[in-house]
Amino acid sequence: MRKFVSLIVLIASTLCLQLAHASALAVSTSVDTDGVLGGRARVLIIGDSVFDAFDHVASAREQLDSQQKTIFAVQGCQKLLEPGCFAWVKLSALDQLRKNAGKFSDVVVIGTGYNDRIGTPFRQAVLAITAEAATQGVDVIWITYRQVRHVRGKATTMNKQLGKLDPKIENLHLADWNLFSEGKEKSGWFRGDRLHLISPGANGLAQLINQAVSEVIAKRELAKAG
């Protein structure tokens, strides 16, 4: 009789554990409101020929994709609001953002701008892209421009414009690539123009993006919890 009772208790305990495990799985799936477990990306990366290194440096892509599922929409000669400087580059950064609406959940990273005009056109581009991102419910991480050689003047002006706009636009965040990459020419990060990337530089840029994305997503999740 005691053996029979013990067997019943053992079976009951096993069933309870199985039910608890199934319940835990159901809860973990239900809290995935952004669909990440289902394959939806968290980040969209848009960039021009500097970011085009991600198409060629697998380790940099893997570094980004391993932290968070990422969509890459990078193309040489891309512009912010207009078709690119080559005829076959038809989609602007804003076009890419709209094209990928609903395919990612948290952050768009902007690495385009070296082919654009400074002043009012650049300001309008930042306002248009951050406004579109806001309608999609995502934040914008804008990568600052390297102030080197032939783009020094343009990059310096654009970085100053970004610095002024940053506190005024709620969903805009800056990742300071100009500072992060300072002096890395000696470490073999760049081609001869000190702008376009080779493998170490692409991995360095991926590291900066991961850091910035991690901070922004943490703030987003904290806001949701609050």
Side-chain angles (χ1 to χ4, degrees):
M1 182 66 178
R2 289 179 180 176
K3 290 183 179 179
F4 181 72
V5 172
S6 297
L7 180 60
I8 292 175
V9 171
L10 179 62
I11 292 171
S13 299
T14 302
L15 286 172
C16 286
L17 287 171
Q18 289 176 341
L19 287 170
H21 180 65
S23 178
L25 286 175
V27 170
S28 66
T29 302
S30 66
V31 298
D32 179 38
T33 54
D34 289 331
V36 176
L37 292 178
R40 187 181 179 195
R42 301 197 77 166
V43 175
L44 169 66
I45 294 180
I46 299 173
D48 54 26
S49 56
V50 173
F51 276 57
D52 193 46
F54 291 140
D55 275 349
H56 311 290
V57 183
S59 57
R61 290 176 66 94
E62 289 166 5
Q63 185 181 163
L64 290 159
D65 216 22
S66 63
Q67 177 170 300
Q68 64 277 309
K69 189 172 177 62
T70 302
I71 298 171
F72 296 87
V74 298
Q75 190 171 25
C77 219
Q78 187 184 81
K79 292 185 178 182
L80 290 167
L81 299 184
E82 303 171 350
C85 46
F86 293 136
W88 59 84
V89 184
K90 299 185 182 301
L91 297 182
S92 67
L94 181 60
D95 292 333
Q96 289 285 6
L97 178 56
R98 289 171 173 162
K99 177 183 176 182
N100 286 281
K103 297 178 182 178
F104 68 107
S105 60
D106 287 279
V107 178
V108 56
V109 177
I110 301 295
T112 302
Y114 288 106
N115 301 302
D116 285 86
R117 292 175 293 164
I118 61 176
T120 300
F122 181 69
R123 183 177 183 278
Q124 291 174 339
V126 176
L127 293 175
I129 287 172
T130 52
E132 173 60 28
T135 65
Q136 295 185 26
V138 300
D139 282 85
V140 179
I141 295 175
W142 208 289
I143 308 298
T144 66
Y145 305 99
R146 270 181 62 80
Q147 297 168 195
V148 294
R149 294 202 170 178
H150 63 289
V151 298
R152 184 184 301 275
K154 171 187 281 191
T156 300
T157 300
M158 286 179 165
N159 288 343
K160 287 180 179 178
Q161 287 185 266
L162 286 171
K164 290 179 180 179
L165 290 169
D166 181 29
K168 299 177 182 179
I169 303 175
E170 186 176 359
N171 66 333
L172 176 62
H173 315 270
L174 304 185
D176 199 346
W177 175 236
N178 182 57
L179 178 62
F180 189 85
S181 63
E182 187 177 2
K184 295 300 184 181
E185 296 87 354
K186 297 179 181 179
S187 300
W189 280 28
F190 300 98
R191 299 189 184 279
D193 60 6
R194 299 186 181 182
L195 191 65
H196 293 89
L197 303 170
I198 54 180
S199 294
N203 285 313
L205 180 55
Q207 180 185 350
L208 175 66
I209 291 172
N210 272 347
Q211 289 175 2
V213 166
S214 179
E215 292 174 6
V216 171
I217 287 181
K219 290 177 182 177
R220 287 172 62 88
E221 292 179 346
L222 185 62
K224 288 179 184 178

